[in-house]
Amino acid sequence: MSKPLLFAANWKMHLHPGEAGTFLDRFLTLDVPRSGRTVVFFPPAVSLQTVAARLEGHDHLLVGAQDVHWESAGAFTGATSVPLARGAGASAALVGHSERRHLFGETDQETAQKVAAVLGGGLQAMLCVGETLDQREAGTTVAVVERQLAAALTGVAPQADLVVAYEPVWAIGTGRNATPEDANAVHRSIRELLVGLGLPRSTRILYGGSVKPENVAALVEQPEVDGVLVGGASLDPASWATICATMAGVPGD
Ligand code: 13P
């Protein structure tokens, strides 16, 4: 018996439509579908439609936007709205990724507006939270994620289609990842914080930050880890298919 797992690929600023199509052709020959597993691809906006079209008919292989604007339409050059992402085939959106927060200056308030727009527009919101190295070393990890969660999720309905991704900023693209036990402990704190905000204990919490085929099994074995959000290792079809083939036992089995 294996627990249900969610595998999310954040392609960041990689794979144009032609490259995305080639990737998926290869991935689909390697992937072994199984019940209880969901895979979500977050391609760049220009490749959303190509990925959505390639995945049609493949249940539990979904596509989402990497970022959205909170307004549904208007004069916002370069931005993608929830209706535009939906129209291109997206069923989910990442919100508050650390690169949006730290490289593009996204504030907690903007993240909150985006969560509201994503949920209000009928997409699943995958909210990213996580501390920087300085914050971790100062012992403020839980305080930081508490602030990020409260800012983004206060007032969100318990039945909202929400996933949380814990991505320590110091582990992203660095080859350093949290130990499975450290990740589990932060996930446990996040779960309690979500319950305190009126959200269900069953909300899925993913881990992200230098996840690779070699370390994914130990991470998803942790009881509080419901899946992974992967950058670099999701750009190679073989490595991504290996990650998506990972199974984890249900505690007590
Ligand atoms: P890496 O897997 O490349 O560390 O990226 C993690 C990430 O930011 C996923 O959103």
Side-chain angles (χ1 to χ4, degrees), residues 26-231:
R26 179 86 186 115
F27 173 77
L28 290 172
T29 65
L30 300 169
D31 184 48
V32 183
R34 59 172 198 278
S35 67
R37 183 203 63 171
T38 304
V39 177
V40 191
F41 293 88
F42 292 96
V46 294
S47 300
L48 271 175
Q49 201 170 4
T50 299
V51 174
R54 278 289 210 292
L55 297 181
E56 228 165 85
H58 294 276
D59 285 355
H60 307 299
L61 299 183
L62 306 172
V63 62
Q66 293 179 9
D67 181 46
V68 290
H69 198 279
W70 54 86
E71 294 289 348
S72 57
F76 299 99
T77 301
T80 303
S81 69
V82 171
L84 289 178
R86 258 187 94 144
S91 60
L94 287 178
V95 185
H97 190 277
S98 68
E99 286 149 21
R100 301 304 313 177
R101 294 177 190 263
H102 295 288
L103 301 178
F104 295 92
E106 182 170 311
T107 64
D108 282 342
Q109 204 214 327
E110 288 168 342
T111 303
Q113 288 175 277
K114 290 180 181 188
V115 168
V118 169
L119 296 174
L123 299 185
Q124 177 179 82
M126 193 174 284
L127 173 69
C128 304
V129 297
E131 81 286 5
T132 64
L133 186 57
D134 284 353
Q135 291 165 333
R136 165 155 289 234
E137 286 175 347
T140 57
T141 297
V142 173
V144 168
V145 299
E146 178 171 19
R147 190 203 77 227
Q148 292 170 332
L149 291 169
L153 300 179
T154 298
V156 164
Q159 66 276 18
D161 191 359
L162 173 77
V163 175
V164 173
Y166 169 57
E167 297 205 307
V169 179
W170 49 270
I172 296 177
T174 58
R176 286 182 62 177
N177 62 344
T179 66
E181 294 73 21
D182 281 348
N184 194 59
V186 180
H187 281 218
R188 188 179 302 119
S189 301
I190 289 173
R191 207 174 290 289
E192 293 311 321
L193 293 165
L194 291 172
V195 170
L197 290 165
L199 294 163
R201 187 170 288 281
S202 57
T203 303
R204 284 170 296 176
I205 306 174
L206 312 185
Y207 172 79
S210 295
V211 175
K212 308 277 177 237
E214 304 76 52
N215 60 23
V216 62
L219 287 160
V220 298
E221 263 320 322
Q222 296 296 318
E224 301 291 343
V225 177
D226 301 306
V228 285
L229 175 56
V230 183

